[in-house]
Amino acid sequence: MRFSFALSALGLTSQVPLQPSLPESSTMTTAQKSFQFVEGPDVFTPKDLVELGRTGAGVANQAGDFVLIPYSKFSFEEKKNHKNIYVAPLESSVQPFKLPLTEGGEAFWLNGRTLAYVLESEQKTLEIFALDLLYEPATNESVGVLSSKPPVLLGTFPTTSASNFRYSTDGYLVFSDSVYPDGNLTTVKEQDEAWENRGNTALVYDHTYERHWDHWVGPKTQSLFSVRLVQDPDHKWTFGSEFVNLLAGTEHSSPVEPFGGTDDFDVSKQSVIYTTLDPAFKDERAWHTKQNVYIVGITGGKPRELTSGSQGATHNPVLNHVGDKAAWLELDEDGYESDRAKIVIYDLKKNVRFTLTQKWDRSPGSLVFSKEGEFIYFTAGDHAKVKVFVLPIPSTPEKSTTDPQLSPKYLSPVPIVKDSASSGLQSLPYGRILISKSSFTSPNDVYLVKGLDALQTQITQSDESVKFSGEVEQVTNFTASDLEGKNLSKGEEFWFKGADDIDVQGWILKPKGWKKGETKAFPVVLLIHGGPQGAWEDQWSTRWNPNVFAQQGYFTVAINPTGSTSFGQAFTDAIAGDWGGKPFVDLQKGWKYILESYPEIDSDRAVAAGASWGGYAINWIQGHPEYNFGFKALVCHDGVFDSSYNGFSTEELFFFNHDWRGRPWDKDSEQVLRKFNPVNFVHKWGTPQLVIHGSKDYRLPETDGIGAFHALQQLHIPSRLVIFPNENHWVLNHGNSLKWHYEVFRWFDQFVGKKD
Ligand SMILES: *[C@@H]1O[C@H](CO)[C@@H](O)[C@H](O)[C@H]1NC(C)=O
Ligand SMILES: *[C@@H]1O[C@H](CO)[C@@H](O)[C@H](O)[C@H]1NC(C)=O
Ligand SMILES: *[C@@H]1O[C@H](CO)[C@@H](O)[C@H](O)[C@H]1NC(C)=O
Ligand SMILES: *[C@@H]1O[C@H](CO)[C@@H](O)[C@H](O)[C@H]1NC(C)=O
């Protein structure tokens, strides 16, 4: 943490003088008061948000009767983030059991009752332990008890950076680690030392990426490894010493940086499937998105490509349980990251590949085979929710095809979980899947979906459309007590006619203390999401949480304008080349609709905030006073100021090239830039603006924030710059997150707070 809690709660007011040129006005008087959050036992404050426990995705064992649950909770008092792993029996009321281990490691299942646990020791080596669970189920006389035997050390890894563990029941552990060009895990430590002691700190590049997301790219790349991890007949576990680089001799790198993890590969008994950037573009990574899928033996060999070669990005490759079919998500267009993802199935026996969701206008986000392999479960955004769907897998066609002839039951995914936002699918025996789910009112929890056997039978036997009638049962409940009595808003949907009379959706959250009919009683904030190919979904966020704004007393409006995902591909695609166009027609119309519909809103106390594309939107609105939003203050977090410069300075160049119709110097792009670059309209700026930027934001370098601040200052517009030197495109550090909220709400309060 950069600042102590006390300092960060006070803000930097004493260190950063307010603008001496500010006119004497009521706003000035308000600014001089020291700002405090709205607090109280019934208020969910920013501090509560930061300190609320965070439940990770559950991982069940093969038998599907126990689940591992990562859980972390930050404490300002201790200045410590407690990271623990719990185990809970599924379908039992026995309390989750906290593993008796040092905080902060990674765990995975070895078998039904044994876990492996990987943790860095005090001697700075990465150790692997086995831990046997002990379980006494509940009886009529006693409650059930879960405990464990003491952990047993199995061995150490050659590095401390091994991660993303997946265990194959055939006795191999597959994981990722980063290696030097020799690809050899056992030489990494030595080469790390040589690199650290090279006598200078220069980084030299002949090709992109030179930096990515929040770090400068070094000499190492990600690769996948396998090592023997097997139980002897006398139940003793043995950890091998030979680490096989499964991608040796290729130009492949998986998981794919910067966000790839266990979703980028999967293991069956014999094989490992993975996605990697197309090696043909190894020197042009920054402007290509094409990723190929390969399969390789679990002990190595020559990887075999499964993709056709004409795809764009691929994600989430998976193998079915018996290992004779693979599936992944595939996009069509190289150089775009938001075209429609489709499910592709690959029959490994027949060597035939076919697309399953060619005709479905939604974009699946993750997928998994059912345990028996006859169905595929997947998540997809749909009208600002992330739902779980299922499709039966048709028999494999004769030849590979992207558009197979399919009867209706294979074309219409059946929704299973329709509310809020699901993720982290895992299929379990007996017609069940495990998911994580969150909403505006509750952070992620683990849920068990039951009764899918009956649904699958119905789908198989009927040609009519079928409905899921099973149960969705909550497994974890770590945070409920902390949220009790806070009365968080569920969010209400609204629809209005946007640009070209297309139906556009948004959310509104009423403020704490809202009473019907109290006219002009509450300030209002418009939140603008990033992407722009993203959406405000009925989902929990630890960064931009609409309820935190509502709890501070603001009517909170979150609109999904043109470019947003989950409303069909045409709506998402329509923002390309039109950043300053249709989305702002949508936002103006939605804003008008809200002001007309809620007399409780005081439109003289309106503010807006956005990050990334949302920050572009703030800078764009600054330059377009004729939109008449009437905002009294703006907040721009990591936003685009100069789009042309951004087309050169961002690391993922494909993104600009796609959305601005070419490179910054291309004719088409130049025209779009002339129309839609915020810097071209700075002369019209006039609204007080807070600018926030992270110095490790390499997607949108901090000079965009600094540039906007310099413009505001020279125009004598009340403005403030907040820099987080150690944050990337997101503010993740707990203390910084609280400071972020402090500065944002303090800024709003200065201009639209109650004058008393
Ligand atoms: C436990 O209680 C149930 C219902 O009260 C009863 O049917 C069952 O026989 C009891 N089991 C034992 C082992 O006592
Ligand atoms: C990796 O390096 C070690 C130590 O230099 C060496 O013994 C081993 O043979 C190398 N492995 C491979 C696969 O080259
Ligand atoms: C979660 O805990 C809260 C109280 O802390 C309780 O009211 C609620 O019923 C629990 N929900 C589940 C699904 O266990
Ligand atoms: C909770 O919020 C709703 C909607 O804002 C409001 O109608 C209700 O009175 C609130 N309940 C409590 C107990 O504050």
Side-chain angles (χ1 to χ4, degrees), residues 203-210 282-284 287:
L203 300 161
V204 180
Y205 301 94
D206 294 312
H207 305 287
T208 62
Y209 287 104
E210 70 299 319
K282 72 183 170 56
D283 296 340
E284 305 184 349
W287 59 97

Side-chain angles (χ1 to χ4, degrees), residues 474 477 480-481 484:
Q474 191 174 346
N477 195 18
S481 55
E484 236 164 32

Side-chain angles (χ1 to χ4, degrees), residues 352-373:
V352 169
R353 173 186 48 241
F354 59 99
T355 307
L356 191 54
T357 52
Q358 187 60 263
K359 296 191 166 77
W360 192 55
D361 193 15
R362 289 292 182 267
S363 204
S366 62
L367 78 174
V368 67
F369 281 101
S370 65
K371 208 71 187 173
E372 294 74 24

Side-chain angles (χ1 to χ4, degrees), residues 33 69 71 108 111 129 135 235 278 343 350 381 434 443 445 449 460 462 505-506 531 685 743:
K33 286 195 313 199
I69 309 147
Y71 178 74
F108 53 92
N111 63 32
F129 300 87
Y135 181 51
H235 298 292
D278 186 339
I343 297 174
K350 297 187 176 163
L434 195 70
D445 269 307
V449 185
T460 309
S462 163
Q505 187 264 7
W685 286 25
E743 288 294 335

